[in-house]
């Protein structure tokens, strides 16, 4: 069967080469991006490859527009990196949110359109950021309580306490500029085609209210390291350590690397332009319940979801996407295909280099996709009893981020270890205890703790490194034990997920948590490749909905929504006629 599938794929690919070259030539001469109508009697109107949250969002939107839609997911369950699982066979009542762990950037539009709350979307807002220091003392920072922040920070630096409201206001102002850009389809910057220039000018016009200072601040944010930026504002190591964490989450870069200031801002946006986002929060039932809510909405709209259905190749017909071939050889046809996989898988493996423009292939080959993240999920017999804030009864400091990132040099050292090829001796951790609110994840009286930790060497995605990962996790636990001496003995079960498992079991190539780094050269009009940041691809009829597109990563659903919108707009334009199609392909 597999051999047959390969032959079929080769034949389809062969036929497609000429058509793809023609499409490429058409692009080069600026005539049109091919948008055609039906491809005869297809099995479905739309196939979505990958049942992660973005694939499910795309499917739900496509089905809402009336398309008969099929989702194909390789794993036995949907959700991708938004997954709740029971990793311990001897303790099936303990469930963990195995990879992603907190919500923040899901736009109100998606929550409303898909009626996610009806399908179980329920967020508990997180408590404060909390760091207990190995040398004694602790700090709490609140998302929305300036008075308490002032009191907390004053214990470390009066000057920093006074600076904090100005910093918050500065950041809020910049987030107002950057937030709406997340819902903007990036224009094809640099193109001189009239329609692309028009899109670029439209974007520039929308920014006309920005003054010299704001542009300067945005420039700083986009180019500086989080360490340099915080040095301009604060002096105490404790405050700088606390504010640095968001600059390096999921990033193959320490806090002194340029670009990390933007990563911090990405995690601080409160409004993407369609209403205020919730603060960071825990989904009841873990992040898998977010994916389940979207799957529920998709099914309600008529989407068919198949799990255990691994896609091996894209089917091409006349240079156009016309379906997929599964690993078991089955061919399924559709008028439109949306893929939500990592770009290397989606384009190099499924479409094939021979069917893509050379410069696009080079861009995807050069795509940076490292993280060095290790997720450690723990079942606890009791809550951490911090020396600085004693007690195992639930207290405010258990309800938010329970960090191990005491200072900037501490975080930097962890990165330097990994860059030099060793797992961090003292890793940093963004910890959370969702069971401070969510009683559905484990039996009463127990807790689940999730540690998002960094770094191990980026090439650990190539080998399991099982024993070294265990030793790394033990060191991480020791770090917490220094500030909460009951921690180690409270651990009933531990689940350690490293880059190899992320790549091989979840499709996160290179172990990058966002399908690709959020580095400056991979943002906005460059995500995933210049000329293709509008959720379309070099293959007509193939749309791209992964976290490797603009507004990804994170569990925000924006790539899924935008890819579906692009497919729907092109399809409607095609039905209206070829001239209209050419215009609409670029003017959504
Ligand atoms: C450890 C970790 C922690 C994170 N923490 C957070 C967090 O707290 N908050 C947050 O917002 N984001 C977080 N993220 C990022 C976020 O989870 C991802 O950006 C997001 O879930 C990706 O969604 P997606 O739908 O684009 O892709 P994915 O979730 O990767 O979905 C792609 C799907 O495609 C499937 N697939 C792969 N190959 C095939 C194939 N050949 N055929 C069919 N199906 C296939 C996969 O199994 C998967 O289900 C974290 C990620 C990780 C790994």
């Amino acid at each position: 069967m597999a051999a047959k599938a390969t032959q079929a794929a080769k034949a389809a690919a062969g036929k497609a080469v000429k058509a793809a070259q023609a499409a490429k030539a058409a692009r080069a001469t600026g005539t049109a991006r091919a948008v055609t109508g039906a491809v005869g009697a297809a099995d479905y109107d739309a196939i979505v490859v990958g049942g992660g949250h973005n694939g499910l969002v795309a499917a739900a939107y496509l089905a809402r527009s009336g398309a008969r839609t099929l989702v194909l997911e390789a794993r036995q369950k949907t959700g991708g990196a938004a997954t709740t699982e029971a990793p311990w066979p001897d303790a099936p009542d303990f469930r963990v949110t195995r990879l992603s762990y907190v919500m923040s950037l899901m736009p109100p539009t998606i929550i409303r359109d898909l009626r996610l709350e009806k399908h179980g979307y329920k967020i508990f807002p997180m408590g404060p950021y909390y760091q207990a220091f190995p040398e004694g003392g602790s700090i709490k920072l609140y998302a929305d309580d300036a008075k308490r922040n002032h009191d907390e920070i004053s214990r470390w630096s009066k000057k920093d306490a006074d600076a904090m409201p100005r910093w918050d206001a500065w950041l809020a102002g910049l987030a107002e500029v950057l937030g709406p850009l997340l819902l903007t389809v990036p224009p094809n910057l640099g193109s001189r085609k009239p329609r692309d220039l028009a899109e670029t000018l439209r974007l520039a016009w929308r920014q006309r209210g920005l003054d010299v200072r704001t542009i300067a601040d945005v420039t700083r944010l986009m180019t500086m390291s989080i360490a340099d930026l915080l040095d301009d504002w604060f002096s105490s190591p404790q405050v700088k350590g606390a504010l640095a964490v968001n600059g390096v989450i999921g990033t193959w870069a320490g806090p002194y690397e340029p670009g990390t200031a933007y990563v911090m801002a990405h995690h601080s946006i409160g409004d993407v332009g369609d209403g205020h986002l919730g603060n960071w929060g825990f989904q009841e039932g873990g992040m898998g319940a977010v994916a389940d809510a979207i799957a529920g909405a998709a099914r309600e709209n008529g989407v068919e979801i198949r799990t255990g259905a691994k896609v091996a190749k894209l089917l091409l017909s006349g240079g156009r996407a016309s379906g997929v071939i599964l690993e078991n050889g089955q061919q399924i046809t559709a008028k439109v295909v949306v893929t939500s996989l990592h770009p290397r898988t989606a384009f190099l493996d499924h479409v094939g280099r021979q069917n893509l423009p050379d410069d696009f292939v080079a861009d995807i080959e050069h795509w940076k996709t490292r993280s060095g993240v290790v997720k450690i999920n723990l079942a606890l017999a009791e809550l951490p009893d911090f020396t600085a804030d004693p007690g195992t009864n639930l207290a405010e400091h258990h309800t938010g981020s329970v960090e191990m990132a005491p200072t900037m040099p501490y975080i930097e050292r962890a990165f330097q270890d990994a860059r030099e090829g060793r797992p961090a001796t003292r890793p940093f951790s963004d910890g959370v205890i969702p069971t401070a609110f969510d009683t559905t994840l484990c039996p009463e009286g127990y807790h689940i703790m999730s540690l998002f930790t960094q770094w191990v060497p980026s090439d650990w995605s190539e080998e399991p490194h099982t024993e070294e990962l265990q030793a790394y996790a033990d060191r991480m636990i020791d770090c917490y034990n220094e500030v909460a001496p009951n921690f180690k003995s409270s651990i009933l079960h531990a689940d350690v997920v490293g880059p190899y498992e992320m790549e091989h079991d979840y499709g996160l190539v290179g172990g990058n948590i966002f399908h690709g780094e959020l580095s400056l050269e991979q943002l906005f009009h460059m995500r995933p490749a210049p000329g293709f940041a509008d959720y379309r691809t070099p293959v007509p009829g193939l749309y791209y909905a992964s976290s490797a597109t603009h507004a990804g990563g994170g569990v925000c659903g924006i790539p899924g929504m935008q890819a579906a919108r692009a497919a729907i707009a092109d399809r409607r334009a095609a039905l209206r006629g070829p001239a209209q199609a050419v215009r609409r392909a670029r003017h959504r």
Side-chain angles (χ1 to χ4, degrees):
M1 268 312 238
K4 199 171 155 197
T6 313
Q7 276 169 13
K10 272 190 186 152
K15 268 196 230 156
V17 175
K18 282 203 178 90
Q21 282 166 347
K24 186 180 162 191
R27 262 179 93 79
T29 54
T31 47
R33 175 179 289 190
V35 179
T36 60
V39 288
D43 298 328
Y44 291 87
D45 293 325
I47 288 175
V48 176
V49 182
H53 86 285
N54 272 318
L56 295 168
V57 167
Y61 273 96
L62 286 162
R64 262 168 47 107
S65 79
R68 281 175 309 127
T69 305
L70 171 69
V71 173
L72 295 168
E73 165 56 46
R75 299 184 76 230
Q76 292 305 326
K77 68 195 290 288
T78 52
T83 180
T84 306
E85 299 176 25
W88 304 294
D90 52 338
D93 294 350
F94 287 82
R95 297 183 307 137
V96 303
T97 184
R98 201 158 186 246
L99 296 173
S100 59
Y101 51 109
V102 281
M103 288 299 293
S104 87
L105 284 173
M106 179 81 82
T109 298
I110 295 181
I111 297 168
R112 261 194 321 266
D113 283 353
L114 303 186
R115 301 197 296 162
L116 293 186
E117 281 165 3
K118 177 187 155 203
H119 293 282
Y121 182 79
K122 178 180 172 188
I123 304 293
F124 301 104
M126 281 175 81
Y129 169 98
Y130 176 72
Q131 171 73 56
F133 296 105
E135 64 277 16
S138 67
I139 191 168
K140 290 193 212 74
L141 292 178
Y142 299 83
D144 48 11
D145 194 332
K147 164 83 180 67
R148 290 170 90 186
N149 279 346
H150 195 272
D151 295 346
E152 282 286 327
I153 299 171
S154 293
R155 295 199 281 140
W156 299 99
S157 161
K158 177 76 176 57
K159 195 168 147 264
D160 287 358
D162 292 341
M164 195 56 150
R166 292 195 299 277
W167 163 261
D168 281 341
W170 184 78
L171 207 53
L174 286 177
E176 263 174 40
V177 177
L178 295 175
L181 287 181
L182 286 186
L183 280 182
T184 300
V185 176
N188 193 2
L189 290 183
S191 163
R192 295 198 179 136
K193 292 177 200 163
R195 56 181 177 264
D196 291 331
L197 283 170
E199 294 283 350
T200 306
L201 286 173
R202 193 171 309 170
L203 178 65
W205 180 248
R206 273 179 36 205
Q207 312 303 327
R208 67 192 178 282
L210 300 186
D211 59 15
V212 172
R213 293 294 322 166
T214 313
I215 301 245
D217 287 341
V218 171
T219 308
R220 289 197 178 99
L221 202 67
M222 300 307 285
T223 54
M224 286 177 83
S225 72
I226 183 66
D228 283 345
L229 182 66
L230 291 174
D231 281 346
D232 287 348
W233 285 84
F234 302 103
S235 55
S236 74
Q238 293 81 2
V239 173
K240 287 195 272 188
L243 297 177
V245 172
N246 275 346
V248 292
I249 287 281
T251 304
W252 182 248
Y256 293 90
E257 305 280 326
T260 46
Y262 170 74
V263 178
M264 178 275 303
H266 184 86
H267 292 292
S268 309
I269 286 166
D271 188 338
V272 291
D274 66 344
H276 200 272
L277 301 171
N279 284 335
W280 291 87
F282 304 117
Q283 161 70 36
E284 185 176 58
M287 297 295 276
V290 176
D292 288 347
I294 304 169
R299 285 200 180 93
E300 185 179 57
N301 283 290
V303 172
E304 184 186 334
I305 299 175
R306 278 192 220 168
T307 54
K310 186 167 183 179
V311 169
K313 284 281 174 202
L314 182 80
L315 262 179
L316 289 154
S317 164
R320 204 188 142 78
S322 60
V324 298
I325 306 175
L326 297 186
E327 208 179 41
N328 68 9
Q330 188 188 357
Q331 293 193 14
I332 311 174
T333 58
K335 295 166 190 162
V336 157
V337 179
V338 177
T339 179
S340 61
L341 274 44
H342 188 283
R344 299 247 169 91
T345 317
F347 298 111
L348 303 186
D349 297 347
H350 287 181
V351 179
R353 287 173 173 77
Q354 70 281 15
N355 299 313
L356 292 163
D358 293 343
D359 50 1
F360 182 83
V361 169
D363 288 334
I364 301 300
E365 282 174 342
H366 297 154
W367 182 248
K368 300 286 181 287
T369 183
R370 306 154 294 183
S371 267
V373 167
V374 178
K375 184 77 192 305
I376 304 170
N377 301 300
L378 303 170
L380 302 181
E382 61 182 0
L383 287 167
D385 182 4
F386 290 97
T387 310
D389 299 274
T392 55
N393 288 335
L394 182 63
E396 197 183 31
H397 61 269
H398 295 120
T399 63
S401 314
V402 185
E403 304 296 89
M404 182 47 62
T407 63
M408 198 88 74
Y410 178 105
I411 303 173
E412 174 67 7
R413 184 66 255 156
F415 179 62
Q416 289 304 334
D417 283 349
R419 177 123 87 183
E420 288 161 17
R422 302 181 302 276
T425 305
R426 291 175 69 82
F428 96 77
S429 160
D430 185 37
V432 291
I433 307 175
T435 45
F437 302 98
D438 183 355
T439 55
T440 69
L441 292 175
C442 67
E444 201 183 334
Y446 296 90
H447 283 281
I448 295 295
M449 186 164 184
S450 148
L451 308 181
F452 178 94
T453 77
Q454 287 170 205
W455 285 262
V456 294
S458 58
D459 63 3
W460 277 27
S461 57
E462 292 164 20
E463 299 285 336
H465 291 276
T466 312
E467 283 171 21
E468 291 155 288
L469 269 182
Q470 192 52 57
Y472 167 95
D474 288 346
R475 290 197 299 279
M476 183 78 258
I477 289 164
D478 285 342
C479 291
Y480 275 103
N481 211 62
E482 286 173 19
V483 294
N486 73 332
F487 190 60
K488 205 167 175 172
S489 60
S490 73
I491 296 171
L492 302 171
H493 305 279
D495 165 50
V496 184
V497 192
Y500 182 86
E501 193 175 351
M502 288 184 203
E503 171 164 335
H504 291 85
D505 289 6
Y506 294 91
L508 302 168
V509 177
N512 184 275
I513 71 167
F514 297 138
H515 288 193
E517 297 169 34
L518 285 182
S519 46
L520 292 181
E521 81 283 8
Q522 298 192 163
L523 292 180
F524 200 54
H525 65 293
M526 305 289 282
R527 196 165 182 87
F532 296 98
D534 63 353
Y535 309 91
R536 295 173 173 84
T537 74
V539 180
L542 178 66
Y543 297 84
Y544 195 37
S546 113
S547 284
T549 61
H550 172 59
V555 182
C556 67
I558 298 172
M561 177 183 72
Q562 299 285 34
R565 281 182 177 172
I568 293 163
D570 288 357
R571 182 107 193 98
R572 286 191 180 142
L575 292 174
R576 281 192 213 108
Q580 179 84 316
V582 170
R583 273 201 305 280
R584 287 300 300 263
R586 277 304 195 178
H587 291 263
R588 296 169 305 283

